[in-house]
Amino acid sequence: MSLSAQSKKNLRNAIIEMTKRFTTTEETVVTDFHFQVNTDNGNVIIYDDDDNQLAQTHVGEWEEFHETDCYVSIENELRSILSEVEKEGILDNMNVPKPYSCLLVDDDKETIVDLLYVDDETYIITNDLLKGFDEEMDQFLKELLND
């Protein structure tokens, strides 16, 4: 399911609101930001490690969203928006020590998936990065063995 421009803007604004809470001169220790999506009413709430609410928004497309793969769709949309925000350097404005993660959690705040891992030295390999890897590796081995 693709989100409307307004829903993407709502999510982006909630992430920016979250980051503004950590732009103080005093370093704040946070290891995870929890994104909880209520698929009954479409509310998205972002929490810190101590369950303090940092931001909240509404995504109309996620109201009554109970498909079997609903969290896959939600994951893809959140990951895309978080990646854009990270590439724009918005997350760099936070005075939070690295590494930290942005996690998609269920109603019980159990982790479903790691959406974004922020660290200067470590990179998480995602499915997008591995797309076509099998074919490329097969081609490489074929050429190598032919030589």
Side-chain angles (χ1 to χ4, degrees):
M1 163 186 291
S2 184
L3 296 183
S4 67
Q6 183 61 50
S7 291
K8 288 180 181 184
K9 183 178 178 182
N10 290 350
L11 285 167
R12 180 183 172 82
N13 289 341
I15 293 167
I16 291 170
E17 180 183 335
M18 171 197 82
T19 64
K20 287 181 180 177
R21 293 177 175 258
F22 298 96
T23 57
T24 63
T25 56
E26 183 179 312
E27 186 173 77
T28 308
V29 177
V30 176
T31 57
D32 297 313
F33 295 97
H34 306 266
F35 288 70
Q36 185 179 46
V37 178
N38 185 324
T39 56
D40 291 329
N41 59 22
N43 287 336
V44 180
I45 302 173
I46 305 172
Y47 296 98
D48 65 9
D49 293 326
D50 297 322
D51 290 335
N52 297 313
Q53 183 175 323
L54 305 173
Q56 180 174 350
T57 193
H58 180 263
V59 176
E61 292 88 344
W62 292 343
E63 284 182 35
E64 300 299 323
F65 190 44
H66 300 290
E67 296 175 15
T68 55
D69 63 344
C70 69
Y71 280 113
V72 172
S73 179
I74 291 169
E75 170 191 348
N76 291 336
E77 292 291 345
L78 284 173
R79 184 171 280 159
S80 173
I81 294 167
L82 281 165
S83 292
E84 289 173 14
V85 169
E86 181 191 31
K87 286 177 186 170
E88 293 171 20
I90 294 171
L91 298 179
D92 294 336
N93 296 330
M94 293 194 303
N95 196 4
V96 175
K98 295 176 183 174
Y100 62 86
S101 294
C102 295
L103 308 171
L104 177 60
V105 299
D106 62 16
D107 294 336
D108 298 321
K109 296 190 178 150
E110 295 295 321
T111 301
I112 297 170
V113 68
D114 194 340
L115 297 167
L116 180 70
Y117 182 77
V118 180
D119 189 2
D120 291 332
E121 299 174 5
T122 305
Y123 297 94
I124 301 293
I125 298 175
T126 63
N127 289 339
D128 291 340
L129 184 60
L130 294 175
K131 271 186 188 167
F133 181 75
D134 287 342
E135 294 83 17
E136 290 177 23
M137 186 57 83
D138 289 343
Q139 182 64 31
F140 171 75
L141 288 174
K142 182 178 176 182
E143 290 175 13
L144 184 64
L145 293 174
N146 285 337
D147 288 342

